[in-house]
Amino acid sequence: MAFDLDMIKKVYGNFGTRIDAARKSVGKPLTLTEKILYAHLWDTSATQAYQRGVDYVDFAPDRVAMQDATAQMALLQFMQAGRPQVAVPSTVHCDHLIQAKVGAEADLNTAKDVNKEVYDFLASVSDKYGIGFWKPGAGIIHQVVLENYSFPGGMMIGTDSHTPNAGGLGMIAIGVGGADACDVMAGLAWELKFPKLIGVKLTGKLSGWASAKDVILKVAGVLTVKGGTGAIVEYFGEGARSLSATGKGTICNMGAEIGATTSIFGYDEKSEIYLRGTKRGDIADMANEIKAHLTGDDEVYANPELYFDQVIEINLSELEPHINGPFTPDLAWPISKFAAAVKENGWPAKLDVGLIGSCTNSSYEDISRAASLAQQAVDKNLIAQSEFTITPGSEMVRYTVERDGFLATFGQMGGVVLANACGPCIGQWARHGAEKQEKNSIITSFNRNFAKRADGNPNTHSFVASPEIVTAMAIAGDLTFNPLVDTITNSKGEQVKLDEPTGWEMPVKGFDVKDAGYQAPAEDGSKVNVIVDPKSARLQLLEPFAAWEGTDLKGLKLLIKAKGKCTTDHISMAGPWLKFRGHLDNISNNMLIGAINFANDTADTVKNQLTGEYGPVPATQRAYKAAGIGSVVVGDENYGEGSSREHAAMEPRFLGVRAIIVKSFARIHETNLKKQGMLGLTFANPADYDKIQEDDTFDILGLNSFTPGKPLTVILNHKDGSTDSFEVNHTYNEQQIKWFQEGAALNIIRKNMAN
């Protein structure tokens, strides 16, 4: 069944004329990225060329996707917008709230019981507003979207940073906060700074142990966690055309780890195979009619340096398998150098757990290739030396790989199949013994490996690799094992070597599923009641944030000066806190508890300037709020890296933080702060970060003449009576300044809907 065919027909019907207008306005051949962006301008066809990295542009996305953890806040905001139904096709996917503990069936049943209140809320609000609902167990949002909703040339936003997964089918798919999703569902334009373009030319063809995952692991090593910030990464070349659609999805998915706005591949034969294999032949037929528009112009790929801001070239025929980590996804090691790195750095060589699956690597191809290694283990009398878990990405994939015997093979090897959900990838892992905080190593086919992310243990060294490498490592139980050249001792004392993995892009017998887990919304949602218990600990209706008072902000206390990496996991931890994603007051008790305080190199211990005593960050901020005093958070480079969770912006706003001043922001987090009426500012001179002292009081001046491109001034009032003054920059445009002045973007939506 193909969803939203009428919408796709409309998009394709306008594609040619809009691209012709864009080519005329730009005055040169177009990349695929430019074609899709210009074809989705809010004001119909292009009349001007936009400056990359400078111009803010209004777009009209085709659809919205939300996962259950972020959908709660997105839909609580949408409920305030005053619309009877969503303006574009939208879906909710229940994948984040299922904790991995025992195994698939038991964990899913526990989740349905524990999260009943939240699931009932999401189902009813979806019913009321015309939103497609994917039940718990249906699968991970990005895999389900790739199988059902992605289409070449489309544009989607999703409330999860790995939304770019859909780029594997040629879609501009961008991770956003819930306020952005609310705008689009309310029928408003969606604003984005026109991105820079990074071109990745792939030559050659993968073979042996190398996989699509190794492409993005290599790219992450080249670009680092912020090298893609403000840019869309477009892959092209003969090597790109040789990759499966799901392999391309893996690469686009993990592009979030380099800070990229999104990543994309052009439509090709592999795309068509996947569309037809997932029962969307109608879309393949339509895409074939406009095929020339669904890839970059020939001149672009012939001379990419003339059309991209940066070009990287990778020969797939020479690409080694990579292992990235620990603690950051851009620390890239070719496998030939990894064993030496383990020894030199003193990382635990004993591998405790190997985990495959997740939204990044749970396709049929991934699981079949990993299963070929599991079968070898069985055949060669090898017993897995590490714990081993498998997380299918969707019920369709799970049902099909079970039918084809792969799950049974993993079971023979000693593997445990987890629910079709995010699980350990996002910290939803009740890992036995993690509370002891022992130094250990795990390896996953996931996308992120920040400290504490998987199991809450800061001493877990987490490494990222392909499912094939993870499986081989789990069999060996040793991080210094290189399956390309090393042998293992089997149960008979023999030295055996693993053969190269084999698998299938698509199931020979086709995909199958009994119940995919989809629930269509009510025909008429006007009679559906959405009930939120005022006494609930998990759901809370929102109150509008207060408008700016119309004056400069003075007397703001320093809450925390965060030292080093401060991701959205540090600002609003996931794991056990996921249960409060629909209750702003309760989840605010995790605000910045993972950030390291520069003054004492400790997390969650800051000085309360009113009492002189040290205490937790949230409690200190609540004391300032109770006293009617605003505060400032200071951060380092790439502040807000990682997940798109807008709670990391909403919690400081709710508790009375007035400004975040950092050396640089991650894209999604900066936008989230703006949407919630916060000041997100950057040091004009990064060295001014060092001037800030623990007892400082801040004055932020220039707000009465707050205009695009004009810096603001910060006065630091030190405890000894001395002062420092410096400029801070911002990227607010006129509309975003109105968000600040009105207290939040949602306040403007509400006003407009009421008029």
Side-chain angles (χ1 to χ4, degrees):
M1 163 183 171
F3 291 90
D4 309 315
L5 278 177
D6 288 342
M7 177 268 282
I8 297 170
K9 283 177 186 172
K10 185 178 177 184
V11 172
Y12 284 177
N14 294 326
F15 229 73
T17 54
R18 291 193 169 192
I19 288 170
D20 288 343
R23 196 177 281 112
K24 185 177 178 182
S25 296
V26 174
K28 60 181 181 179
L30 299 175
T31 63
L32 171 62
T33 301
E34 289 169 314
K35 289 181 181 182
I36 299 175
L37 290 176
Y38 279 106
H40 283 85
L41 294 176
W42 180 257
D43 294 324
T44 62
S45 294
T47 56
Q48 66 177 97
Y50 292 105
Q51 195 174 344
R52 298 176 192 168
V54 176
D55 292 335
Y56 282 94
V57 183
D58 285 343
F59 293 102
D62 302 313
R63 65 174 313 108
V64 173
M66 297 165 279
Q67 40 93 336
D68 50 356
T70 50
Q72 295 171 63
M73 198 57 72
L75 292 172
L76 285 165
Q77 291 177 86
F78 179 76
M79 287 169 67
Q80 293 189 329
R83 276 193 69 101
Q85 207 169 31
V86 291
V88 301
S90 303
T91 51
V92 167
H93 303 259
C94 295
D95 61 359
H96 271 57
L97 300 180
I98 302 167
Q99 187 180 46
K101 189 172 185 178
V102 180
E105 188 175 353
D107 293 346
L108 180 57
N109 288 334
T110 298
K112 287 178 178 176
D113 181 42
V114 170
N115 302 313
K116 185 178 188 304
E117 177 186 15
V118 173
Y119 292 148
D120 287 349
F121 165 73
L122 292 173
S124 63
V125 79
S126 296
D127 228 13
K128 184 172 184 64
Y129 295 109
I131 298 168
F133 182 71
W134 290 81
K135 295 179 284 189
I140 307 174
I141 175 172
H142 312 303
Q143 182 71 21
V144 173
V145 165
L146 194 72
E147 292 169 359
N148 295 278
Y149 298 111
S150 308
F151 68 95
M155 185 180 200
M156 175 178 77
I157 60 168
T159 60
D160 190 282
S161 55
H162 294 104
T163 299
N165 193 81
L169 263 182
M171 193 173 203
I172 292 280
I174 300 175
V176 299
D180 278 3
C182 180
D183 282 2
V184 175
M185 290 189 293
L188 302 181
W190 176 65
E191 183 188 70
L192 177 73
K193 184 182 284 187
F194 204 87
K196 292 186 177 181
L197 301 180
I198 298 174
V200 180
K201 182 179 182 180
L202 301 180
T203 61
K205 191 173 184 178
L206 293 171
S207 63
W209 285 88
S211 73
K213 182 64 164 273
D214 298 307
V215 175
I216 186 58
L217 294 176
K218 168 82 172 175
V219 170
V222 173
L223 287 174
T224 78
V225 290
K226 65 175 197 172
T229 303
I232 290 180
V233 182
E234 183 172 323
Y235 292 83
F236 62 94
E238 58 172 320
R241 293 190 295 275
S242 72
L243 298 171
S244 67
T246 51
K248 291 169 183 168
T250 292
I251 293 168
C252 294
N253 176 299
M254 202 175 154
E257 273 37 83
I258 56 172
T261 301
T262 193
S263 303
I264 192 168
F265 284 80
Y267 177 72
D268 58 23
E269 184 184 345
K270 299 287 192 180
S271 315
E272 181 177 354
I273 288 170
Y274 188 73
L275 284 170
R276 296 195 188 282
T278 50
K279 299 180 173 63
R280 291 178 287 170
D282 289 352
I283 298 173
D285 291 340
M286 287 192 283
N288 284 339
E289 290 177 13
I290 61 163
K291 200 168 186 176
H293 297 318
L294 299 176
T295 185
D297 288 338
D298 291 342
E299 298 93 328
V300 169
Y301 297 152
N303 299 286
E305 292 80 7
L306 301 178
Y307 301 96
F308 291 98
D309 298 291
Q310 181 179 354
V311 178
I312 298 167
E313 186 167 338
I314 297 173
N315 184 342
L316 301 184
S317 301
E318 299 173 357
L319 183 65
E320 262 192 85
H322 276 61
I323 298 175
N324 287 23
F327 306 128
T328 185
D330 59 346
L331 188 57
W333 303 98
I335 198 163
S336 59
K337 297 180 180 176
F338 184 64
V342 171
K343 293 169 186 171
E344 287 168 14
N345 290 285
W347 300 328
K350 177 180 176 288
L351 179 64
D352 281 17
V353 193
L355 306 99
I356 67 167
S358 84
C359 67
T360 325
N361 279 103
S362 57
S363 66
Y364 187 89
E365 181 179 30
D366 289 327
I367 291 178
S368 67
R369 281 172 64 85
S372 76
L373 294 167
Q375 186 63 56
Q376 285 187 56
V378 174
D379 295 343
K380 297 182 180 185
N381 300 303
L382 293 166
I383 299 166
Q385 299 300 299
S386 307
E387 290 181 40
F388 185 63
T389 69
I390 305 96
T391 304
S394 70
E395 176 57 15
M396 185 175 81
V397 166
R398 189 212 63 80
Y399 187 92
T400 305
V401 297
E402 182 180 46
R403 178 201 69 191
D404 292 350
F406 299 144
L407 297 188
T409 302
F410 287 131
Q412 287 179 281
M413 174 190 151
V416 175
V417 178
L418 301 176
N420 311 325
C422 300
C425 185
I426 59 157
Q428 282 284 53
W429 184 18
R431 186 183 179 192
H432 179 71
E435 70 283 352
K436 297 175 188 173
Q437 300 204 349
E438 294 172 337
K439 192 175 178 182
N440 74 101
S441 289
I442 66 173
I443 188 166
T444 81
S445 70
F446 306 162
N447 40 41
R448 288 201 178 124
N449 59 343
F450 304 143
K452 299 195 284 188
R453 181 174 173 90
D455 61 2
N457 178 1
N459 298 312
T460 292
H461 292 58
S462 180
F463 298 89
V464 179
S466 68
E468 300 92 313
I469 293 296
V470 172
T471 305
M473 289 292 197
I475 293 168
D478 182 357
L479 282 181
T480 65
F481 172 67
N482 179 350
L484 281 70
V485 295
D486 295 341
T487 59
I488 319 176
T489 307
N490 70 5
S491 58
K492 296 181 177 180
E494 302 163 336
Q495 291 297 305
V496 297
K497 189 170 181 295
L498 293 171
D499 301 322
E500 294 174 352
T502 58
W504 295 267
E505 281 183 29
M506 303 286 283
V508 176
K509 300 180 194 170
F511 284 110
D512 198 6
V513 66
K514 277 190 176 172
D515 178 9
Y518 175 70
Q519 182 175 300
E523 289 286 330
D524 178 8
S526 62
K527 298 179 178 62
V528 176
N529 289 321
V530 180
I531 300 170
V532 175
D533 184 348
K535 298 176 184 175
S536 172
R538 298 195 62 178
L539 294 166
Q540 178 187 47
L541 294 175
L542 296 174
E543 295 291 331
F545 290 134
W548 171 56
E549 52 270 61
T551 62
D552 286 338
L553 302 180
K554 296 183 177 180
L556 307 177
K557 300 297 184 185
L558 175 69
L559 175 61
I560 185 172
K561 177 178 169 182
K563 178 181 176 182
K565 189 185 278 278
C566 193
T567 71
T568 48
D569 278 302
H570 294 87
I571 305 166
S572 176
M573 201 171 287
W577 292 92
L578 281 169
K579 60 178 173 285
F580 298 125
R581 283 284 181 88
H583 198 294
L584 185 54
D585 194 9
N586 284 346
I587 199 169
S588 292
N589 289 321
N590 78 358
M591 185 188 75
L592 285 157
I593 63 175
I596 301 301
N597 181 4
F598 87 106
N600 52 20
D601 277 333
T602 305
D604 202 24
T605 305
V606 295
K607 188 174 186 179
N608 181 333
Q609 292 190 44
L610 303 179
T611 65
E613 297 177 355
Y614 286 84
V617 182
T620 304
Q621 181 54 37
R622 286 184 187 274
Y624 291 151
K625 183 179 182 181
I629 296 170
S631 64
V632 171
V633 169
V634 173
D636 213 317
E637 297 281 5
N638 208 28
Y639 182 88
E641 170 191 344
S643 168
S644 69
R645 68 191 67 145
E646 66 185 334
H647 300 75
M650 294 185 80
E651 292 171 30
R653 179 74 172 100
F654 176 72
L655 291 182
V657 176
R658 300 304 301 270
I660 313 288
I661 306 174
V662 301
K663 292 180 183 177
S664 64
F665 282 109
R667 176 192 63 85
I668 299 176
H669 187 64
E670 182 180 24
T671 302
N672 286 346
L673 290 170
K674 292 176 178 180
K675 286 277 183 179
Q676 301 303 336
M678 289 280 282
L679 283 175
L681 308 171
T682 55
F683 294 101
N685 178 3
D688 289 332
Y689 171 92
D690 299 322
K691 294 178 179 175
I692 291 160
Q693 300 171 20
E694 188 176 28
D695 293 291
D696 281 350
T697 299
F698 293 69
D699 299 333
I700 301 176
L701 311 181
L703 292 172
N704 283 306
S705 56
F706 193 8
T707 50
K710 182 180 177 182
L712 300 173
T713 300
V714 170
I715 307 293
L716 287 181
N717 300 287
H718 302 304
K719 190 177 182 182
D720 64 4
S722 64
T723 62
D724 269 307
S725 174
F726 55 82
E727 285 192 337
V728 286
N729 295 328
H730 65 84
T731 60
Y732 288 72
N733 60 26
E734 289 180 6
Q735 176 175 277
Q736 294 166 348
I737 289 170
K738 288 190 174 69
W739 297 345
F740 165 74
Q741 292 168 340
E742 292 290 337
L746 187 57
N747 292 350
I748 297 175
I749 295 175
R750 192 185 304 105
K751 277 185 179 179
N752 292 342
M753 289 293 176
N755 292 335

